[in-house]
Amino acid sequence: MTTVSILGATGSIGRSAAKVLAEAGPRFRVEAVAGGRDPLALAELAIALGARFAAIADPSAGPRLKERLAGTGIASGAGREAVLEAAAREADIVIAGISGIAGLEATVAAFGAGRRIGVANKECLVAAGAFFMAEAARTGTELFPVDSEHNAVFQALACGPRAAVEQVVITASGGPFRTVARDVIARATPADALKHPNWSMGAKITIDSATLMNKGLELIEAHHLFAVPPGQLDVVVHPESIIHGMVSYVDGSVVAVLAMPDMALPIAHCLGYPDRLPTTCRRLDLVTLGRLTFEAPDLERFACLRLARAALAEGGAATTVLNAANEVAVAAFLEGRIGFFDIAAAVEETLGRSPQGRAPDSVAEALAVDAAARRIAVSLLPKFAAKAS
């Protein structure tokens, strides 16, 4: 029996993982689940999955979690140490789905010889990619991409020698504003930006999809995960979200992975690899679909992708700063404090004002660079708020 822990269990990744595990039956046993602030949802999930331990990040939610789990035999804890305990408990596979920089420490705590980490947290690799990959190698940890795009690239890279790879392409839906005029986007509300055409995700990642920052973060992630030079990475807008990733080889062939948009698919691939787990996900019918379309991303309307590319090219701590500034700006937009285009503007100005040092080589260094960048980004918000009002 394969044991599994889920970090970020109550988010979209965690719920998709729970669905796959429920369908897989007795092949898997759940060791631990960790959530953020919703003790009732976490308890419900822990009970449904038969987890042995449940941890909630919010210390004040601990008593409610414990009360809800009373009599179930499921142990619980609250706060940072409890989440780290959930990450470090013995498990064959850990699905790392805690969003944002908050997931870095817990994901690294899950590292261990012979253990597979299903990486669904982009920020681990964006904020501390070089350290993250080196630490995984040092500890004998297998990193397995759970993002649909990187999972597709992982599968496509198995079709030829690495030396024969010419280009790696990840696809973008284009988000809710793909065909919307710039002046209309400028007036967009958070509710407008949260209407993703294809995927059901958390608020932060949905806004990142609307700005195309998500694709920028994915380029950085792919660079570290697959050791692909920035010049061999590209993004193509593909509104149907059927092709998730492609690899071009030197002979002119292109290997692509196609599937209906459903996070359960890459999660099932991670959990079952090298086997294939049966799922109830919708099957792809190309005849019914009719056509697939592609276009280049508009880097003027969606400057976040341009900024992410520049940060990747610059190297050092630039991507750590980029991620921190983006998290601050997205949160401010979701609160209605700044406009949609102010997200990219705030990120760009934060990058310009931050000292560009070397890449972090520990969790502590990554968090320190992140905190410094956040202070700069927060100090800029009144300027953009005044403009948006």
Side-chain angles (χ1 to χ4, degrees):
M1 182 177 289
T2 300
T3 54
V4 180
S5 291
I6 307 173
L7 309 180
T10 54
S12 59
I13 294 294
R15 292 188 180 281
S16 292
K19 173 191 172 187
V20 173
L21 290 168
E23 291 177 358
R27 172 170 175 166
F28 298 95
R29 178 183 64 76
V30 176
E31 175 63 27
V33 292
R37 296 182 297 275
D38 190 339
L40 302 185
L42 183 63
E44 180 182 352
L45 197 64
I47 293 169
L49 293 174
R52 295 189 176 185
F53 180 72
I56 193 155
D58 182 358
S60 68
R64 292 193 74 190
L65 177 64
K66 185 175 182 180
E67 177 185 0
R68 195 74 170 183
L69 293 175
T72 65
I74 302 172
S76 68
R80 170 179 170 272
E81 293 300 326
V83 173
L84 294 180
E85 179 186 346
R89 287 174 77 100
E90 287 298 321
D92 300 306
I93 303 173
V94 177
I95 301 296
I98 298 175
S99 63
I101 191 68
L104 175 61
E105 185 179 30
T107 304
V108 172
F111 283 5
R115 179 175 284 193
R116 177 180 298 174
I117 307 295
V119 182
N121 176 297
K122 296 177 180 60
E123 292 82 4
C124 289
L125 287 151
V126 173
F131 159 73
F132 192 81
M133 296 303 295
E135 186 67 6
R138 185 188 70 79
T139 57
T141 303
E142 177 188 22
L143 298 179
F144 203 103
V146 168
D147 270 348
S148 65
E149 296 82 2
H150 299 92
N151 185 265
V153 169
F154 174 83
Q155 295 187 57
L157 283 172
C159 295
R162 187 57 63 91
V165 171
E166 199 167 67
Q167 189 179 46
V168 171
V169 177
I170 58 177
T171 59
S173 70
F177 304 137
R178 181 177 65 87
T179 60
V180 178
R182 183 182 178 88
D183 61 329
V184 176
I185 300 175
R187 300 191 298 271
T189 66
D192 297 327
L194 288 169
K195 294 175 183 175
H196 195 282
N198 299 335
W199 296 93
S200 175
M201 305 175 291
K204 195 268 181 181
I205 192 172
T206 304
I207 300 301
D208 282 347
S209 293
T211 65
L212 289 195
M213 178 63 89
N214 200 36
K215 294 302 129 179
L217 301 182
E218 287 172 7
L219 287 178
I220 298 166
E221 187 179 5
H223 165 67
H224 290 293
L225 272 176
F226 307 121
V228 178
Q232 287 183 283
L233 293 166
D234 202 5
V235 173
V236 170
V237 175
H238 169 47
E240 296 84 6
S241 295
I242 297 300
I243 294 179
H244 301 279
M246 299 176 277
V247 174
S248 302
Y249 288 94
V250 293
D251 60 359
S253 61
V254 179
V255 178
V257 173
L258 290 74
M260 297 300 290
D262 190 332
M263 280 308 303
L265 283 167
I267 291 170
H269 188 238
C270 172
L271 291 172
Y273 186 83
D275 297 334
R276 295 274 182 172
L277 298 179
T279 75
T280 58
C281 297
R282 286 185 302 154
R283 270 35 181 182
L284 176 61
D285 183 339
L286 289 174
V287 173
T288 300
L289 188 65
R291 66 177 183 176
L292 302 177
T293 56
F294 307 90
E295 61 194 53
D298 184 338
L299 298 184
E300 290 190 10
R301 283 189 302 156
F302 304 104
C304 283
L305 177 54
R306 171 179 58 80
L307 294 172
R309 280 186 176 280
L312 174 58
E314 183 170 335
T319 59
T320 315
V321 173
L322 172 95
N323 181 72
N326 183 62
E327 288 194 14
V328 169
V330 168
F333 172 71
L334 284 169
E335 293 166 2
R337 297 164 57 198
I338 65 174
F340 183 81
F341 285 129
D342 294 329
I343 297 173
V347 171
E348 186 163 26
E349 189 160 345
T350 302
L351 283 164
R353 294 192 182 201
S354 298
Q356 301 301 313
R358 60 180 174 79
D361 63 4
S362 68
V363 171
E365 278 196 15
L367 294 177
V369 174
D370 175 89
R374 283 173 189 271
R375 286 192 293 270
I376 294 171
V378 168
S379 73
L380 295 171
L381 291 180
K383 165 184 169 180
F384 294 108
K387 188 179 73 172
S389 61

